[in-house]
Amino acid sequence: SRRRTVQLAVAASIISLLVIGYFLFNSPVKTPVIMAKLNKAVTGQQIIHLPDSTIVTLSGKSKLDYPATFSSSTREVYLTGEAYFNVKHDDAKQFIVHSGTIMTKVLGTAFNIKAIPGESKISIIVTRGRVQVIRADSKKTLCILLPGYQATVDNNDNTFHSEKVNVQQLTGWKNEHLVFDDITFAEAAVLVGIHFGVELKFRNEELRNCRFTGNLSNNCLEDDVDI
């Protein structure tokens, strides 16, 4: 009886070792994703060449997190701020931009995303190809956006709308050209501050809510506004 007990114990140990060995050698190995983060949002624009040859123009004080090598199935990046994407076409790998509450999916196209921290609105503008705009939480598709159109999501009241816009004007920032179309001075001050890496203060606080239309096409702030 004692000998049989010992034999059973030895057999159980051998089976346990075989099971452990099986899972050790047959379980898929997960390779950690190494993020090539731009840890510090710098003043002025940045041109970023991603691992797949996609080119991203990053606005001042914006940040893009992306892996050193994309996975075998998708190309995913994380945007804080504003950027213009010229995506390398790849039928096998969808390109996905995570920006706050919104996911933007494409195969190969050119588009602009604006998701400024502290602002309730997120906007996507397509200049070439088409993109799929999706809510990150529910994975619900809001629209398929075509060239010349802008989609805007307002997180304050959870609304969404799309419209045809002047793409060249709204993406002019990447060519050092800012366009303001019927916006308040307070909104313009935020955009100018991000673009030039400065903080604008109002001598007259009543001006904050005044609306105006105009543009800045010079790279020198002192030449464009009276500070």
Side-chain angles (χ1 to χ4, degrees):
S1 177
R2 181 178 299 175
R3 181 181 299 173
R4 182 168 180 79
T5 301
V6 172
Q7 290 175 340
L8 289 174
V10 172
S13 299
I14 293 173
I15 292 173
S16 298
L17 289 173
L18 289 174
V19 170
I20 293 172
Y22 174 82
F23 282 105
L24 283 175
F25 289 100
N26 290 278
S27 296
V29 177
K30 294 183 178 180
T31 303
V33 177
I34 301 174
M35 298 303 290
K37 292 184 178 180
L38 296 174
N39 292 310
K40 186 177 180 181
V42 301
T43 300
Q45 294 182 16
Q46 299 176 76
I47 304 297
I48 304 169
H49 294 262
L50 298 183
D52 66 335
S53 298
T54 288
I55 299 175
V56 182
T57 304
L58 200 62
S59 177
K61 290 192 174 180
S62 297
K63 185 165 72 75
L64 187 72
D65 294 343
Y66 58 96
T69 303
F70 287 121
S71 72
S72 59
S73 57
T74 60
R75 298 170 287 169
E76 299 190 49
V77 300
Y78 297 80
L79 171 68
T80 302
E82 185 171 12
Y84 183 85
F85 294 84
N86 193 346
V87 179
K88 178 75 172 178
H89 190 91
D90 188 340
D91 288 327
K93 291 185 181 181
Q94 201 165 46
F95 193 94
I96 303 173
V97 181
H98 299 267
S99 51
T101 59
I102 296 298
M103 294 168 56
T104 305
K105 292 185 177 183
V106 302
L107 289 175
T109 184
F111 59 97
N112 191 92
I113 297 181
K114 181 181 177 183
I116 306 297
E119 292 188 9
S120 63
K121 294 181 180 180
I122 298 174
S123 65
I124 302 98
I125 303 171
V126 178
T127 60
R128 188 186 74 246
R130 62 178 183 175
V131 305
Q132 182 182 9
V133 182
I134 304 170
R135 283 200 177 276
D137 52 359
S138 63
K139 301 299 186 294
K140 176 184 177 181
T141 298
L142 297 177
C143 71
I144 303 296
L145 208 59
L146 300 177
Y149 281 83
Q150 171 180 267
T152 303
V153 180
D154 193 329
N155 292 316
N156 278 347
D157 52 16
N158 203 32
T159 57
F160 160 81
H161 74 275
S162 62
E163 59 184 338
K164 193 169 182 61
V165 295
N166 187 323
V167 171
Q168 291 184 339
Q169 284 189 347
L170 294 179
T171 61
W173 65 266
K174 63 185 174 65
N175 300 317
E176 303 294 345
H177 186 67
L178 295 178
V179 177
F180 309 108
D181 184 14
D182 190 30
I183 66 173
T184 66
F185 277 101
E187 293 170 330
V190 173
L191 296 176
V192 172
I194 291 172
H195 185 73
F196 288 100
V198 298
E199 180 182 0
L200 298 186
K201 296 182 178 180
F202 288 85
R203 293 176 182 172
N204 183 353
E205 291 295 320
E206 294 180 357
L207 288 176
R208 285 183 172 275
N209 295 321
C210 293
R211 309 187 75 85
F212 80 106
T213 297
N215 65 78
L216 297 181
S217 56
N218 195 299
N219 201 31
C220 181
L221 182 60
E222 289 81 355
D223 292 343
D224 286 310
V225 297
D226 178 13
I227 59 173

